[in-house]
Amino acid sequence: MTKEQKNEVIEVLKGKFSQYSNFYVTNTESLTVAQIGKLRRACFDKEVEMKVAKNTLIRKALESIDAEKYSGVYDSLNNVTALLFSDNPKEPAMILTSFRKSLNGEKPELKAAFINGDVYTGDNNLKSLTQIKTKNELIGEVIGLLQSPAKRVLAALLHHHEKQAEATTPAE
């Protein structure tokens, strides 16, 4: 790879890191070409971008954006690395989990995840990352909580109104 090609890759990666506030660093070392293709298709179907790059180029791209912000990710840049970029913080974890189930295996391994400024390192975090609530899920919960008291008040008022109506109705 020429210096010019390396610089191109770094620029592409910088664009992706700037575009997405969530990315996963995975180890795809023991996967076959067919399995990598299947993983790429699964990512594409769920609107997750998958990029494979050399660790040194990934590190240079991260350092050129904000060396301090991404410092927790650097130790995970070893072996064969695939990056999964997504707007949804939990989608890559869901893809990795279901992909593993289909293979009955432990690969691809989660090396690190960068979620909205927080770094999660190690494969042991994968299960908890599948349970992260998305922005829309949180908004839905808040709306549900806000609607609940209003519904109770309306139900109580209607019930009270019905009781009054029954009390004023003449007996037959």
Side-chain angles (χ1 to χ4, degrees):
M1 196 175 236
T2 67
K3 187 167 180 77
E4 190 175 293
Q5 290 171 321
K6 288 179 184 179
N7 286 337
E8 275 183 41
V9 171
I10 290 170
E11 287 304 312
V12 168
L13 290 173
K14 281 171 57 176
K16 294 298 174 198
F17 289 126
S18 297
Q19 179 183 354
Y20 294 99
S21 57
N22 309 302
F23 65 88
Y24 284 55
V25 181
T26 63
N27 180 357
T28 56
E29 190 168 13
S30 63
L31 297 179
T32 66
V33 172
Q35 290 170 333
I36 297 252
K38 185 178 176 187
L39 180 60
R40 281 185 188 278
R41 277 189 299 284
C43 289
F44 181 79
D45 292 343
K46 298 289 184 173
E47 297 179 9
V48 174
E49 285 193 56
M50 180 176 165
K51 296 279 182 210
V52 177
K54 292 186 176 196
N55 294 313
T56 53
L57 300 180
I58 295 169
R59 185 178 181 123
K60 285 180 180 179
L62 290 171
E63 286 175 343
S64 68
I65 296 172
D66 188 341
E68 186 70 28
K69 180 179 175 182
Y70 298 110
S71 62
V73 177
Y74 301 146
D75 289 340
S76 63
L77 297 176
N78 52 48
N79 299 327
V80 177
T81 300
L83 300 168
L84 304 178
F85 297 96
S86 176
D87 288 323
N88 180 335
K90 112 181 185 182
E91 199 62 56
M94 301 298 285
I95 291 169
L96 292 174
T97 302
S98 68
F99 190 78
R100 284 177 172 189
K101 282 181 186 171
S102 72
L103 295 179
N104 294 323
E106 294 297 313
K107 296 289 180 176
E109 176 188 350
L110 176 67
K111 295 195 278 185
F114 185 87
I115 311 291
N116 297 320
D118 295 321
V119 178
Y120 301 86
T121 56
D123 197 55
N124 55 331
N125 284 308
L126 186 60
K127 185 172 186 201
S128 60
L129 289 170
T130 62
Q131 297 167 353
I132 286 178
K133 299 229 184 260
T134 65
K135 183 179 177 181
N136 288 340
E137 289 170 335
L138 290 173
I139 290 170
E141 284 184 13
V142 169
I143 289 171
L145 290 171
L146 291 173
Q147 285 179 340
S148 181
K151 285 180 181 176
R152 277 193 243 127
V153 167
L154 286 174
L157 288 172
L158 285 172
H159 182 70
H160 178 69
H161 181 67
E162 287 171 2
K163 284 234 185 241
Q164 278 187 333
E166 286 175 11
T168 59
T169 312
E172 290 179 29

